[in-house]
Amino acid sequence: MRGESPDRRVLAPAAPRGDKGGVTDATSPEALKKRPRVFSGVQPTGTLTLGNYVGALRNWVQGQHDVDPIFCVVNDHAITVRIDPEELRRNTREVASVYLAVGLDPEHCILFVQSDVPEHTGLAWVLNSVTYYGELHRMTQFKDKTAKKQLEGVSAGLLNYPILMAADILLYDTDEVPVGEDQKQHVELCRDVAIRFNGLFGETFVVPKPVIPKIGARIMSLDDPTKKMAKSNPNPGSYILLTDPPDVIRKKLARAVTDSGTEIKAAADKPAIANLLTIASALSGKAIATLEDEYAGKMYGHLKKDLGELVAETLRPIQEKIATYMADPAQLEAILDRGAERARHIAGPTLARAKQRIGLGWRQSGR
Ligand code: ATP
Ligand code: LTN
């Protein structure tokens, strides 16, 4: 393998481009067309929020048929913070149900759970050796999650988290990683690690790029528009969960903080209103300027009320489907088992290639 071209067809003979682990006919004109390989994931640390939906999931669904898509429930990442094992199991099933409920097509996408594909942790160990402590220590997510904490008690997993994420991405010869703004830095680290590894050991990995949505890349907390909406926030009033009932959604939006003044405008000195307008724009498809015109002369309360209806209506069909998938664990397991099998078909050769390059593949027979 040494010295071969970085073209993925050469690098990963068991999984040529367009081959989707045995699902599409690899010789069909559609499969032969060069589509970018897309990989992304969400950690099952809790029920997903409207921020996860607008910043990530919605864009995965919209773009799925133009790409070669792989989406993972990244449960190995979730254990970098303390989490009850039973809760982790439930959240894992729930996140997978959400993937299906928002419209990811399991016939087209590879959908799987990270811990079912041991190549992820296998490659992460290899990448540990070409990632620097300084790089990890500089990551803003690490700094945010350890702020006000004694570093003595912070898990090494939390520091090494971006290495596992790089492994996720690189295992699949990924071209594009659709994520919210907060994950851009991690994808950039992944690029640096891939370029470094390729430089040291020969072309091995495809260098991916982050894809950040134009609208909704950073949905803010409802109680503090300077912080991103996150499922790990201890204040439930700060986020809308994808499973929140309509009356809770309306109430949370009615209580959302606003800015001084009365004008409904997405201005720099109106971060709370700008956030509500961003959510409205993302879900309605209307430009922010159009919404500003529509709300000219109206009060903040009008926007909040309309937004409550819009969010509730958007989530209603999704919630019904989440409940259906959660009630049928056998169907969910079948989909995820098949996804894991397809994923391993691609990840296995990539890990073997990386191990060969770095010298862990030691046999003279080249096995
Ligand atoms: P946690 O609170 O456990 O750190 P989180 O809610 O921030 O989790 P992640 O699982 O880290 O969510 O993120 C999953 C995806 O959702 C990522 O692509 C991330 O960029 C995106 N995302 C998360 N929160 C937001 C947000 N507030 N706005 C836009 N995108 C978001
Ligand atoms: N760190 C990401 C989740 C994640 C991910 C990935 C996203 C883990 N591995 C690979 C894209 C590609 C987060 O959203 N917190």
Side-chain angles (χ1 to χ4, degrees):
M1 294 276 266
R2 197 161 295 147
E4 281 171 353
S5 116
D7 184 292
R8 77 187 59 227
R9 271 158 295 210
V10 178
L11 290 175
R17 251 206 119 94
D19 176 82
K20 310 186 53 59
V23 164
T24 348
D25 172 11
T27 59
S28 73
E30 194 220 7
L32 287 173
K33 212 171 88 203
K34 210 167 179 251
R35 283 173 300 171
R37 169 71 49 77
V38 160
F39 182 97
S40 200
V42 175
Q43 5 172 33
T45 40
T47 295
L48 302 197
T49 70
L50 192 62
N52 298 130
Y53 179 67
V54 172
L57 293 165
R58 194 177 64 103
N59 310 301
W60 305 354
V61 174
Q62 281 172 357
Q64 65 180 320
H65 289 291
D66 302 324
V67 301
D68 192 356
I70 306 181
F71 298 110
C72 180
V73 182
V74 291
N75 59 344
D76 291 322
H77 283 267
I79 59 169
T80 57
V81 291
R82 269 287 168 269
I83 184 161
D84 172 67
E86 203 41 60
E87 201 185 321
L88 176 57
R89 278 187 271 275
R90 202 202 77 88
N91 291 345
T92 301
R93 294 192 296 270
E94 189 179 77
V95 173
S97 299
V98 170
Y99 282 7
L100 293 160
V102 295
L104 291 177
D105 173 4
E107 290 305 314
H108 178 60
C109 308
I110 296 181
L111 303 179
F112 72 105
V113 176
Q114 190 182 28
S115 64
D116 286 341
V117 179
E119 283 79 3
H120 288 249
T121 45
L123 182 61
W125 183 253
V126 173
L127 298 179
N128 259 304
S129 60
V130 292
T131 312
Y132 303 128
Y133 171 79
E135 289 177 310
L136 297 170
H137 204 253
R138 269 200 299 278
M139 293 290 112
T140 44
Q141 180 173 297
F142 178 74
K143 288 199 249 174
D144 289 350
K145 295 216 172 212
T146 55
K148 294 184 221 124
K149 284 201 180 130
Q150 292 289 335
L151 282 181
E152 288 295 313
V154 168
S155 77
L158 198 59
L159 182 70
N160 288 328
Y161 179 111
I163 302 181
L164 180 59
M165 179 163 163
D168 299 341
I169 297 167
L170 299 180
L171 274 176
Y172 298 95
D173 291 344
T174 301
D175 299 297
E176 295 176 5
V177 187
V179 281
E181 177 69 38
D182 62 304
Q183 294 302 312
K184 192 169 169 222
Q185 195 185 31
H186 286 163
V187 181
E188 277 160 2
L189 176 62
C190 170
R191 286 172 61 86
D192 292 344
V193 168
I195 292 168
R196 187 175 305 144
F197 191 102
N198 287 349
L200 286 168
F201 304 108
E203 290 297 333
T204 307
F205 298 121
V206 171
V207 180
K209 64 167 197 251
V211 176
I212 315 288
K214 286 194 187 70
I215 299 241
R218 193 171 167 82
I219 299 299
M220 309 312 279
S221 289
L222 300 180
D223 64 340
D224 179 355
T226 65
K227 285 201 297 215
K228 96 172 171 137
M229 184 182 284
K231 52 182 137 62
S232 58
N233 190 315
N235 174 15
S238 71
Y239 51 66
I240 290 173
L241 297 180
L242 298 189
T243 52
D244 276 343
D247 55 320
V248 173
I249 294 172
R250 289 189 203 104
K251 218 176 280 166
K252 284 184 176 178
L253 282 167
R255 289 186 189 150
V257 296
T258 48
D259 308 295
S260 54
T262 54
E263 208 187 350
I264 297 181
K265 225 172 168 37
D269 61 343
K270 288 186 174 263
I273 294 301
N275 189 40
L276 299 183
L277 282 170
T278 301
I279 299 172
S281 168
L283 298 185
S284 68
K286 290 182 185 171
I288 292 203
T290 309
L291 291 168
E292 286 172 341
D293 287 347
E294 285 180 12
Y295 283 100
K298 295 197 176 153
M299 320 262 283
Y300 289 162
H302 287 122
L303 172 63
K304 287 176 157 191
K305 190 161 178 298
D306 292 349
L307 189 55
E309 295 312 316
L310 176 63
V311 174
E313 273 315 296
T314 306
L315 296 187
R316 195 176 43 83
I318 296 175
Q319 293 179 344
E320 284 167 12
K321 289 191 193 125
I322 296 174
T324 311
Y325 285 110
M326 286 299 274
D328 190 352
Q331 184 195 13
L332 198 61
E333 279 176 39
I335 291 171
L336 296 171
D337 284 346
R338 187 152 148 275
E341 201 186 310
R342 292 166 69 193
R344 288 200 79 172
H345 181 75
I346 305 169
T350 315
L351 177 59
R353 187 167 78 228
K355 287 175 84 167
Q356 187 65 33
R357 294 276 200 270
I358 204 168
L360 293 174
W362 56 271
R363 290 179 177 78
Q364 283 191 314
S365 63
R367 258 198 305 129

CSV table of all heavy atoms in Angstrom, one decimal, residues 39 72-80 112-129 157 160-172 205 344 347-348 350-352 354-355 360:
chain,number,residue,atom,x,y,z
A,39,PHE,N,-20.1,12.9,6.9
A,39,PHE,CA,-20.2,12.2,8.2
A,39,PHE,C,-20.6,13.2,9.2
A,39,PHE,O,-20.0,14.3,9.3
A,39,PHE,CB,-18.9,11.5,8.5
A,39,PHE,CG,-19.0,10.7,9.8
A,39,PHE,CD1,-19.2,9.4,9.8
A,39,PHE,CD2,-18.9,11.4,11.1
A,39,PHE,CE1,-19.3,8.6,11.0
A,39,PHE,CE2,-19.0,10.7,12.3
A,39,PHE,CZ,-19.2,9.3,12.2
A,72,CYS,N,-24.0,9.0,12.8
A,72,CYS,CA,-23.6,8.2,13.9
A,72,CYS,C,-24.2,8.7,15.2
A,72,CYS,O,-24.2,9.9,15.4
A,72,CYS,CB,-22.1,8.1,13.9
A,72,CYS,SG,-21.4,7.1,15.2
A,73,VAL,N,-24.6,7.8,16.1
A,73,VAL,CA,-25.0,8.3,17.5
A,73,VAL,C,-23.7,8.1,18.3
A,73,VAL,O,-23.2,6.9,18.5
A,73,VAL,CB,-26.1,7.4,18.1
A,73,VAL,CG1,-26.4,7.9,19.5
A,73,VAL,CG2,-27.3,7.4,17.2
A,74,VAL,N,-23.0,9.2,18.6
A,74,VAL,CA,-21.6,9.0,19.1
A,74,VAL,C,-21.6,8.8,20.7
A,74,VAL,O,-21.3,9.7,21.4
A,74,VAL,CB,-20.8,10.2,18.7
A,74,VAL,CG1,-20.5,10.2,17.2
A,74,VAL,CG2,-21.4,11.6,19.0
A,75,ASN,N,-22.0,7.6,21.0
A,75,ASN,CA,-22.1,7.3,22.5
A,75,ASN,C,-20.8,7.1,23.2
A,75,ASN,O,-20.7,7.4,24.4
A,75,ASN,CB,-23.0,6.0,22.7
A,75,ASN,CG,-22.5,4.8,22.0
A,75,ASN,OD1,-21.7,4.9,21.1
A,75,ASN,ND2,-23.0,3.6,22.4
A,76,ASP,N,-19.7,6.8,22.4
A,76,ASP,CA,-18.4,6.7,23.0
A,76,ASP,C,-18.0,8.1,23.6
A,76,ASP,O,-17.3,8.3,24.6
A,76,ASP,CB,-17.3,6.3,22.0
A,76,ASP,CG,-17.5,4.8,21.7
A,76,ASP,OD1,-17.8,4.0,22.5
A,76,ASP,OD2,-17.2,4.5,20.5
A,77,HIS,N,-18.4,9.2,22.9
A,77,HIS,CA,-18.2,10.5,23.3
A,77,HIS,C,-18.9,10.9,24.6
A,77,HIS,O,-18.4,11.6,25.4
A,77,HIS,CB,-18.6,11.5,22.2
A,77,HIS,CG,-17.6,11.6,21.1
A,77,HIS,ND1,-16.6,12.5,21.0
A,77,HIS,CD2,-17.6,10.9,19.9
A,77,HIS,CE1,-15.9,12.4,19.9
A,77,HIS,NE2,-16.5,11.4,19.2
A,78,ALA,N,-20.1,10.3,24.7
A,78,ALA,CA,-21.0,10.7,25.8
A,78,ALA,C,-20.4,10.3,27.2
A,78,ALA,O,-20.7,10.9,28.2
A,78,ALA,CB,-22.4,10.1,25.7
A,79,ILE,N,-19.5,9.3,27.2
A,79,ILE,CA,-19.0,8.8,28.5
A,79,ILE,C,-17.8,9.7,29.0
A,79,ILE,O,-17.2,9.4,30.0
A,79,ILE,CB,-18.6,7.3,28.6
A,79,ILE,CG1,-17.5,7.0,27.5
A,79,ILE,CG2,-19.8,6.4,28.4
A,79,ILE,CD1,-16.9,5.6,27.7
A,80,THR,N,-17.5,10.8,28.2
A,80,THR,CA,-16.4,11.7,28.7
A,80,THR,C,-16.9,12.6,29.8
A,80,THR,O,-16.1,13.2,30.5
A,80,THR,CB,-15.8,12.5,27.5
A,80,THR,OG1,-16.9,13.2,27.0
A,80,THR,CG2,-15.2,11.7,26.5
A,112,PHE,N,-25.8,4.4,12.4
A,112,PHE,CA,-25.3,3.4,13.4
A,112,PHE,C,-24.9,4.1,14.7
A,112,PHE,O,-24.9,5.3,14.8
A,112,PHE,CB,-24.1,2.7,12.7
A,112,PHE,CG,-22.9,3.5,12.6
A,112,PHE,CD1,-21.8,3.2,13.5
A,112,PHE,CD2,-22.7,4.4,11.7
A,112,PHE,CE1,-20.6,4.0,13.4
A,112,PHE,CE2,-21.6,5.2,11.6
A,112,PHE,CZ,-20.5,4.9,12.4
A,113,VAL,N,-24.6,3.2,15.6
A,113,VAL,CA,-24.2,3.6,17.0
A,113,VAL,C,-22.6,3.4,17.1
A,113,VAL,O,-22.1,2.3,16.7
A,113,VAL,CB,-24.9,2.8,18.1
A,113,VAL,CG1,-24.4,3.2,19.5
A,113,VAL,CG2,-26.4,3.1,18.0
A,114,GLN,N,-21.9,4.4,17.5
A,114,GLN,CA,-20.5,4.4,17.5
A,114,GLN,C,-19.9,3.2,18.2
A,114,GLN,O,-18.9,2.6,17.7
A,114,GLN,CB,-20.0,5.7,18.2
A,114,GLN,CG,-18.6,6.1,18.1
A,114,GLN,CD,-18.3,7.3,18.8
A,114,GLN,OE1,-19.0,7.7,19.8
A,114,GLN,NE2,-17.3,8.1,18.4
A,115,SER,N,-20.4,2.8,19.4
A,115,SER,CA,-19.8,1.7,20.1
A,115,SER,C,-19.9,0.4,19.4
A,115,SER,O,-19.3,-0.6,19.8
A,115,SER,CB,-20.3,1.7,21.5
A,115,SER,OG,-21.7,1.4,21.5
A,116,ASP,N,-20.8,0.3,18.4
A,116,ASP,CA,-20.9,-1.0,17.7
A,116,ASP,C,-19.8,-1.1,16.6
A,116,ASP,O,-19.7,-2.2,16.0
A,116,ASP,CB,-22.3,-1.0,16.9
A,116,ASP,CG,-23.4,-1.3,17.9
A,116,ASP,OD1,-23.2,-1.8,19.0
A,116,ASP,OD2,-24.6,-1.0,17.5
A,117,VAL,N,-19.0,-0.1,16.4
A,117,VAL,CA,-17.9,-0.1,15.4
A,117,VAL,C,-16.6,0.2,16.1
A,117,VAL,O,-16.2,1.3,16.3
A,117,VAL,CB,-18.2,0.9,14.3
A,117,VAL,CG1,-17.1,0.9,13.2
A,117,VAL,CG2,-19.6,0.6,13.6
A,118,PRO,N,-15.9,-0.9,16.6
A,118,PRO,CA,-14.7,-0.6,17.5
A,118,PRO,C,-13.6,0.0,16.8
A,118,PRO,O,-12.6,0.5,17.4
A,118,PRO,CB,-14.3,-2.1,17.9
A,118,PRO,CG,-15.1,-3.0,17.0
A,118,PRO,CD,-16.3,-2.3,16.5
A,119,GLU,N,-13.7,0.2,15.4
A,119,GLU,CA,-12.6,0.9,14.7
A,119,GLU,C,-12.5,2.3,15.1
A,119,GLU,O,-11.4,2.9,15.0
A,119,GLU,CB,-12.9,0.8,13.2
A,119,GLU,CG,-12.6,-0.5,12.5
A,119,GLU,CD,-13.6,-1.6,12.7
A,119,GLU,OE1,-14.7,-1.3,13.3
A,119,GLU,OE2,-13.4,-2.7,12.2
A,120,HIS,N,-13.6,2.9,15.7
A,120,HIS,CA,-13.5,4.3,16.1
A,120,HIS,C,-12.5,4.5,17.2
A,120,HIS,O,-11.6,5.3,17.2
A,120,HIS,CB,-14.9,4.8,16.5
A,120,HIS,CG,-15.8,5.0,15.4
A,120,HIS,ND1,-16.3,6.2,14.9
A,120,HIS,CD2,-16.4,4.1,14.5
A,120,HIS,CE1,-17.0,6.0,13.9
A,120,HIS,NE2,-17.1,4.7,13.6
A,121,THR,N,-12.6,3.7,18.3
A,121,THR,CA,-11.7,3.8,19.4
A,121,THR,C,-10.3,3.3,19.0
A,121,THR,O,-9.3,3.8,19.4
A,121,THR,CB,-12.2,3.0,20.6
A,121,THR,OG1,-12.7,1.8,20.2
A,121,THR,CG2,-13.3,3.8,21.3
A,122,GLY,N,-10.3,2.3,18.0
A,122,GLY,CA,-9.0,1.8,17.5
A,122,GLY,C,-8.2,2.9,16.8
A,122,GLY,O,-7.0,3.1,17.1
A,123,LEU,N,-8.9,3.6,15.9
A,123,LEU,CA,-8.1,4.7,15.2
A,123,LEU,C,-7.8,5.9,16.1
A,123,LEU,O,-6.8,6.5,16.0
A,123,LEU,CB,-9.0,5.2,14.0
A,123,LEU,CG,-8.2,6.3,13.2
A,123,LEU,CD1,-6.9,5.7,12.6
A,123,LEU,CD2,-9.1,6.8,12.0
A,124,ALA,N,-8.7,6.1,17.1
A,124,ALA,CA,-8.4,7.2,18.0
A,124,ALA,C,-7.1,7.0,18.7
A,124,ALA,O,-6.3,7.9,18.9
A,124,ALA,CB,-9.6,7.4,19.1
A,125,TRP,N,-6.8,5.8,19.1
A,125,TRP,CA,-5.5,5.5,19.8
A,125,TRP,C,-4.3,5.8,18.9
A,125,TRP,O,-3.4,6.4,19.3
A,125,TRP,CB,-5.5,4.0,20.3
A,125,TRP,CG,-4.2,3.8,21.0
A,125,TRP,CD1,-3.1,3.1,20.6
A,125,TRP,CD2,-3.8,4.4,22.3
A,125,TRP,NE1,-2.1,3.2,21.6
A,125,TRP,CE2,-2.5,4.0,22.6
A,125,TRP,CE3,-4.5,5.2,23.2
A,125,TRP,CZ2,-1.9,4.3,23.8
A,125,TRP,CZ3,-3.9,5.5,24.4
A,125,TRP,CH2,-2.6,5.1,24.7
A,126,VAL,N,-4.5,5.4,17.6
A,126,VAL,CA,-3.4,5.7,16.7
A,126,VAL,C,-3.2,7.2,16.5
A,126,VAL,O,-2.1,7.7,16.5
A,126,VAL,CB,-3.7,5.1,15.3
A,126,VAL,CG1,-2.7,5.5,14.2
A,126,VAL,CG2,-3.8,3.6,15.4
A,127,LEU,N,-4.3,8.0,16.4
A,127,LEU,CA,-4.2,9.4,16.2
A,127,LEU,C,-3.7,10.2,17.5
A,127,LEU,O,-3.2,11.3,17.4
A,127,LEU,CB,-5.6,10.0,15.8
A,127,LEU,CG,-6.2,9.4,14.5
A,127,LEU,CD1,-7.5,10.1,14.2
A,127,LEU,CD2,-5.2,9.7,13.3
A,128,ASN,N,-3.9,9.5,18.6
A,128,ASN,CA,-3.3,10.1,19.9
A,128,ASN,C,-1.9,10.4,19.7
A,128,ASN,O,-1.4,11.4,20.3
A,128,ASN,CB,-3.4,9.0,21.0
A,128,ASN,CG,-4.5,9.3,21.9
A,128,ASN,OD1,-4.7,10.3,22.5
A,128,ASN,ND2,-5.4,8.3,22.1
A,129,SER,N,-1.2,9.6,18.9
A,129,SER,CA,0.3,9.8,18.8
A,129,SER,C,0.7,10.9,17.9
A,129,SER,O,1.8,11.3,17.9
A,129,SER,CB,0.9,8.4,18.3
A,129,SER,OG,0.3,8.1,17.1
A,157,GLY,N,-10.6,11.6,29.1
A,157,GLY,CA,-11.5,11.5,27.9
A,157,GLY,C,-12.0,12.8,27.4
A,157,GLY,O,-12.1,13.0,26.2
A,160,ASN,N,-9.2,14.3,25.4
A,160,ASN,CA,-9.0,13.6,24.2
A,160,ASN,C,-10.2,13.5,23.2
A,160,ASN,O,-10.0,13.0,22.1
A,160,ASN,CB,-8.5,12.1,24.5
A,160,ASN,CG,-7.1,12.1,25.1
A,160,ASN,OD1,-6.3,13.0,24.8
A,160,ASN,ND2,-6.9,11.2,26.0
A,161,TYR,N,-11.3,14.0,23.7
A,161,TYR,CA,-12.5,14.0,22.9
A,161,TYR,C,-12.3,14.3,21.4
A,161,TYR,O,-12.8,13.6,20.5
A,161,TYR,CB,-13.5,14.9,23.6
A,161,TYR,CG,-14.8,15.2,23.1
A,161,TYR,CD1,-16.0,14.7,23.7
A,161,TYR,CD2,-15.0,15.9,21.9
A,161,TYR,CE1,-17.2,15.0,23.3
A,161,TYR,CE2,-16.3,16.1,21.4
A,161,TYR,CZ,-17.4,15.7,22.1
A,161,TYR,OH,-18.6,15.9,21.6
A,162,PRO,N,-11.6,15.4,21.1
A,162,PRO,CA,-11.5,15.8,19.7
A,162,PRO,C,-10.7,14.7,18.9
A,162,PRO,O,-10.9,14.7,17.6
A,162,PRO,CB,-10.7,17.1,19.7
A,162,PRO,CG,-10.9,17.6,21.1
A,162,PRO,CD,-11.0,16.4,22.0
A,163,ILE,N,-9.9,13.9,19.5
A,163,ILE,CA,-9.2,12.9,18.8
A,163,ILE,C,-10.1,11.8,18.3
A,163,ILE,O,-10.1,11.3,17.2
A,163,ILE,CB,-8.1,12.2,19.7
A,163,ILE,CG1,-7.1,13.3,20.1
A,163,ILE,CG2,-7.3,11.1,18.9
A,163,ILE,CD1,-5.9,12.8,21.0
A,164,LEU,N,-11.1,11.4,19.2
A,164,LEU,CA,-12.1,10.4,18.9
A,164,LEU,C,-13.0,11.0,17.7
A,164,LEU,O,-13.3,10.2,16.8
A,164,LEU,CB,-12.9,10.1,20.1
A,164,LEU,CG,-14.0,9.0,19.9
A,164,LEU,CD1,-13.5,7.7,19.4
A,164,LEU,CD2,-14.8,8.8,21.2
A,165,MET,N,-13.3,12.2,17.8
A,165,MET,CA,-14.1,12.9,16.8
A,165,MET,C,-13.3,12.8,15.4
A,165,MET,O,-13.9,12.6,14.4
A,165,MET,CB,-14.4,14.3,17.2
A,165,MET,CG,-15.2,15.0,16.2
A,165,MET,SD,-16.0,16.5,16.9
A,165,MET,CE,-16.5,17.4,15.4
A,166,ALA,N,-12.0,13.1,15.5
A,166,ALA,CA,-11.2,13.0,14.3
A,166,ALA,C,-11.2,11.6,13.7
A,166,ALA,O,-11.3,11.4,12.5
A,166,ALA,CB,-9.8,13.5,14.5
A,167,ALA,N,-11.1,10.6,14.6
A,167,ALA,CA,-11.2,9.2,14.1
A,167,ALA,C,-12.5,8.9,13.4
A,167,ALA,O,-12.5,8.3,12.4
A,167,ALA,CB,-11.0,8.3,15.3
A,168,ASP,N,-13.6,9.4,14.0
A,168,ASP,CA,-14.9,9.2,13.4
A,168,ASP,C,-14.9,9.7,12.0
A,168,ASP,O,-15.4,9.0,11.1
A,168,ASP,CB,-16.0,10.0,14.2
A,168,ASP,CG,-16.2,9.7,15.6
A,168,ASP,OD1,-15.8,8.6,16.0
A,168,ASP,OD2,-16.7,10.6,16.3
A,169,ILE,N,-14.4,10.8,11.8
A,169,ILE,CA,-14.5,11.5,10.5
A,169,ILE,C,-13.5,10.8,9.5
A,169,ILE,O,-13.9,10.5,8.4
A,169,ILE,CB,-14.1,13.0,10.7
A,169,ILE,CG1,-15.2,13.7,11.6
A,169,ILE,CG2,-14.0,13.7,9.3
A,169,ILE,CD1,-14.8,15.1,12.0
A,170,LEU,N,-12.3,10.6,9.9
A,170,LEU,CA,-11.3,10.1,9.0
A,170,LEU,C,-11.5,8.6,8.6
A,170,LEU,O,-11.1,8.2,7.5
A,170,LEU,CB,-9.9,10.3,9.6
A,170,LEU,CG,-9.5,11.7,9.9
A,170,LEU,CD1,-8.1,11.8,10.5
A,170,LEU,CD2,-9.6,12.6,8.7
A,171,LEU,N,-12.2,7.8,9.4
A,171,LEU,CA,-12.4,6.4,9.1
A,171,LEU,C,-13.2,6.2,7.8
A,171,LEU,O,-13.1,5.2,7.2
A,171,LEU,CB,-13.2,5.8,10.2
A,171,LEU,CG,-12.5,5.2,11.4
A,171,LEU,CD1,-13.5,4.7,12.4
A,171,LEU,CD2,-11.5,4.1,11.0
A,172,TYR,N,-14.0,7.3,7.5
A,172,TYR,CA,-14.9,7.1,6.4
A,172,TYR,C,-14.5,7.9,5.1
A,172,TYR,O,-15.3,8.2,4.2
A,172,TYR,CB,-16.3,7.5,6.8
A,172,TYR,CG,-16.8,6.5,7.9
A,172,TYR,CD1,-16.6,6.9,9.2
A,172,TYR,CD2,-17.2,5.2,7.6
A,172,TYR,CE1,-16.9,6.0,10.3
A,172,TYR,CE2,-17.5,4.3,8.6
A,172,TYR,CZ,-17.4,4.7,10.0
A,172,TYR,OH,-17.7,3.8,10.9
A,205,PHE,N,-5.2,9.6,4.7
A,205,PHE,CA,-6.6,10.1,5.0
A,205,PHE,C,-7.0,11.2,4.0
A,205,PHE,O,-6.2,12.0,3.6
A,205,PHE,CB,-6.6,10.7,6.4
A,205,PHE,CG,-6.3,9.7,7.5
A,205,PHE,CD1,-5.2,9.9,8.4
A,205,PHE,CD2,-7.1,8.6,7.7
A,205,PHE,CE1,-5.0,9.0,9.4
A,205,PHE,CE2,-6.9,7.7,8.7
A,205,PHE,CZ,-5.8,7.9,9.6
A,344,ARG,N,-18.7,-0.8,9.3
A,344,ARG,CA,-17.5,-1.5,9.5
A,344,ARG,C,-16.8,-1.9,8.2
A,344,ARG,O,-15.6,-2.0,8.1
A,344,ARG,CB,-17.8,-2.8,10.3
A,344,ARG,CG,-18.1,-2.5,11.7
A,344,ARG,CD,-17.9,-3.7,12.6
A,344,ARG,NE,-16.5,-3.9,12.9
A,344,ARG,CZ,-16.0,-4.8,13.8
A,344,ARG,NH1,-16.9,-5.6,14.5
A,344,ARG,NH2,-14.7,-5.0,14.0
A,347,ALA,N,-15.0,1.3,7.6
A,347,ALA,CA,-14.0,1.7,8.6
A,347,ALA,C,-12.9,0.6,8.8
A,347,ALA,O,-11.7,1.0,9.0
A,347,ALA,CB,-14.8,1.8,9.9
A,348,GLY,N,-13.2,-0.6,8.6
A,348,GLY,CA,-12.1,-1.7,8.8
A,348,GLY,C,-10.9,-1.4,7.9
A,348,GLY,O,-9.8,-1.4,8.4
A,350,THR,N,-9.9,1.2,6.5
A,350,THR,CA,-9.2,2.5,6.8
A,350,THR,C,-8.3,2.3,8.0
A,350,THR,O,-7.1,2.8,8.0
A,350,THR,CB,-10.2,3.6,7.1
A,350,THR,OG1,-11.2,3.6,6.1
A,350,THR,CG2,-9.5,5.0,7.1
A,351,LEU,N,-8.8,1.7,9.0
A,351,LEU,CA,-8.0,1.4,10.2
A,351,LEU,C,-6.8,0.6,9.9
A,351,LEU,O,-5.7,0.8,10.3
A,351,LEU,CB,-8.8,0.8,11.4
A,351,LEU,CG,-8.0,0.5,12.6
A,351,LEU,CD1,-7.4,1.7,13.2
A,351,LEU,CD2,-8.9,-0.2,13.7
A,352,ALA,N,-7.0,-0.5,9.1
A,352,ALA,CA,-5.9,-1.4,8.7
A,352,ALA,C,-4.8,-0.6,8.0
A,352,ALA,O,-3.6,-0.7,8.2
A,352,ALA,CB,-6.5,-2.5,7.8
A,354,ALA,N,-4.2,2.7,8.2
A,354,ALA,CA,-3.5,3.6,9.1
A,354,ALA,C,-2.5,2.8,9.9
A,354,ALA,O,-1.4,3.3,10.2
A,354,ALA,CB,-4.5,4.3,10.0
A,355,LYS,N,-2.9,1.6,10.4
A,355,LYS,CA,-2.0,0.8,11.2
A,355,LYS,C,-0.8,0.3,10.4
A,355,LYS,O,0.3,0.3,10.9
A,355,LYS,CB,-2.8,-0.4,11.8
A,355,LYS,CG,-3.7,0.1,13.0
A,355,LYS,CD,-4.6,-1.0,13.5
A,355,LYS,CE,-3.8,-1.9,14.5
A,355,LYS,NZ,-4.8,-2.8,15.3
A,360,LEU,N,2.2,-0.5,12.9
A,360,LEU,CA,1.5,-1.5,13.7
A,360,LEU,C,1.1,-2.8,12.9
A,360,LEU,O,1.0,-3.8,13.5
A,360,LEU,CB,0.3,-0.9,14.4
A,360,LEU,CG,0.5,0.3,15.4
A,360,LEU,CD1,-0.8,0.9,15.8
A,360,LEU,CD2,1.3,-0.2,16.6
